Amino acid sequence: MKNPATITIATPADLDSAATRFLELREGYSVFAFNGEMGAGKTTFINALAARLGVAADPTGSPTFAILNEYTGADGNPIYHFDLYRLDSEEEVADTGFIDYVDSGHLCLIEWPDRAGSLLDPDATVDVTIEVDPITDARTLTLRYPR
C-alpha cells in the first residue's frame, strides 16, 4: 500500500471507477474522514461508494439535516454516512451515538470530521481529502492511512 494513495476523478463519468478503486484501497479500515471545501464533492463521492456497495438506487443524498443516514449494502451490512457540518462541538457529536457507530466495525463515512475532534481514533481513521482543480474541475482524493 502506498501512503498516501491518490485517486483522480477527471469527470463525473469517472465516479464509478473511482469508487471501485477506493474500495480496493480500503485496507481493512472501516472509518473514513472526508475533508474538503463545501462543494468539493464529498457527498457525491459517498453516493458513488454507496452505489458500488449495492445500496438501493434511492439517492443517498447528504445527511446534513439528519446528521446520519444508514444504508444497507448488498452484503446486508450497514453503512453509516455522517454529515457533522451542523454540529458545533464534540459533545454534540457524542450525543448522536457517534462513538458506538465508529466502534461498530461497519463502514463509517464521515463528512466534516473536524467537528468530531478527539472522538475519532487517529490510529483507526483514514483521512480522505478531496481537492478540486480550479481549472479542470477534476477532483483528487488523497487517502492517508494511520499506519
Side-chain angles (χ1 to χ4, degrees), residues 1-6 29 126-127 142-147:
M1 165 190 55
K2 182 179 174 188
N3 195 13
T6 59
Y29 288 96
V126 177
D127 179 71
T142 304
L143 289 78
R144 290 182 181 82
Y145 301 91
R147 49 183 148 134

Side-chain angles (χ1 to χ4, degrees), residues 39-98:
K42 297 179 294 295
T43 300
T44 299
F45 184 71
I46 289 171
N47 287 345
L49 276 176
R52 199 73 195 106
L53 289 165
V55 172
D58 211 18
T60 50
S62 175
T64 299
F65 295 104
I67 310 300
L68 167 67
N69 283 347
E70 181 178 338
Y71 319 122
T72 302
D75 62 2
N77 286 316
I79 301 163
Y80 303 118
H81 177 193
F82 284 90
D83 185 331
L84 304 179
Y85 182 75
R86 290 189 6 199
L87 301 181
D88 294 321
S89 69
E90 282 184 35
E91 183 178 354
E92 286 184 0
V93 174
D95 287 346
T96 68
F98 183 81

Side-chain angles (χ1 to χ4, degrees), residues 9 15 18-19 22 32-51 60-64 69 71 80-86 108-115 127-132 137-142:
I9 305 170
L15 279 166
F22 182 94
F32 294 86
F34 285 81
N35 295 285
E37 298 296 321
M38 184 75 73
K42 297 179 294 295
T43 300
T44 299
F45 184 71
I46 289 171
N47 287 345
L49 276 176
T60 50
S62 175
T64 299
N69 283 347
Y71 319 122
Y80 303 118
H81 177 193
F82 284 90
D83 185 331
L84 304 179
Y85 182 75
R86 290 189 6 199
C108 292
L109 309 168
I110 305 160
E111 297 184 50
W112 305 100
D114 57 307
R115 307 298 205 271
D127 179 71
V128 182
T129 302
I130 301 179
E131 295 175 309
V132 181
D137 208 35
R139 270 58 174 174
T140 301
L141 279 70
T142 304

